[in-house]
Amino acid sequence: MSRRISPVIPGFGLTLGYTLVYLSLLVLIPLGAMFVHAAQLSWGEFWAIISAPRVLAALKLSFATAFAAAVINGIIGTLLAWALVRYTFPGRKVIDAMIDLPFALPTAVAGIALTALYAPAGPVGQIATWLGFKIAYTPLGITLALTFVTLPFVVRTLQPVLADIPREVEEAAACLGAKPFQVFRHILVPALLPAWLTGFALAFARGVGEYGSVIFIAGNMPMKTEILPLLIMVKLDQYDYTGATAIGVLMLVVSFILLLLINLLQRRIEKP
């Protein structure tokens, strides 16, 4: 006699209902409201706002620095994840816990700390000035802040995948005569690439919308070091809610297209 197994959580219909309500209240309705507010503009007015030179300069800076930070973390974060998973050394657990600091630390505090360190009067900033370049109040400083904030996304995405790759496979390949680069190219890269793309996409998306850690170190000079989130704040301070909404819609659409392309690439790689 078969016995009916009670589900751990409510049935599919009720669970799906909770999911849709929760998702609607937190994501769909706020984003939909932004599009509805931006719809008050005619296409000509909307285009005039998003094609203004100041907006385009901020758009280019925000996406370029977020992309650079995601690439840097894609390389350094992979090395960190590899060291934490594959090696045992004194202080490993402390370093592993420190990876999550950008998640726990208020981003404004991180911005103040980075600015104090890398400003021309700071300990590292003085050395950079002596070498002939500036870190704070330049795109380099913005990239540095975004790299700090987005590091955990890559490391935490790669760690479980690395832990699941059996060392016996690498050892078997080495026994069969494969060189270290061939093991890396034919065994590790195919297994890591989908997770790496996921971590890259998360880091990139987080970097595009970052505000707190960047606001102090950027310098906020229009056409030079002004990011898009700051430009939205400027519009809001001027009670230009429609202009701020139009820029928000622009950020949302561009980010969605880029994330969609990355996801399509990821699915294509995962296909056998």
Side-chain angles (χ1 to χ4, degrees), residues 3 23 56 69 78 82 99 105 131 148 155 210 247 261 264:
R3 190 178 63 179
L23 188 65
L56 292 179
T78 303
W82 180 271
I99 297 294
L105 194 68
L131 293 173
F148 171 82
V155 177
E210 176 59 20
I247 298 173
L261 292 176
L264 290 175

Side-chain angles (χ1 to χ4, degrees), residues 5 11 16 28 65-66 77 107-108 110 119 127 157 192 206 212 228 232 249:
I5 300 175
L16 181 62
L28 299 180
T65 51
T107 54
I127 299 174
T157 305
L192 287 177
R206 178 72 173 85
L228 268 181
I232 292 175
V249 169

Side-chain angles (χ1 to χ4, degrees), residues 84-100:
L84 291 172
V85 171
R86 291 303 178 95
Y87 302 108
T88 301
F89 52 89
R92 183 172 69 90
K93 291 185 178 178
V94 175
I95 295 175
D96 193 34
M98 288 174 64
I99 297 294
D100 290 329

Side-chain angles (χ1 to χ4, degrees), residues 5-30:
I5 300 175
S6 300
V8 178
I9 56 177
F12 174 72
L14 191 57
T15 304
L16 181 62
Y18 283 136
T19 303
L20 291 177
V21 170
Y22 192 78
L23 188 65
S24 298
L25 291 176
L26 289 180
V27 180
L28 299 180
I29 293 177

Side-chain angles (χ1 to χ4, degrees), residues 21-22 58 65 78 83 86-87 90 93 101 135 147 153 162 164 170 173 195-196 198 230 263-264:
V21 170
Y22 192 78
T65 51
T78 303
R86 291 303 178 95
Y87 302 108
K93 291 185 178 178
L101 268 181
I135 300 176
T147 304
F153 291 98
L162 275 170
D164 285 342
E170 299 169 43
W196 189 90
T198 301
L230 174 67
N263 284 334
L264 290 175

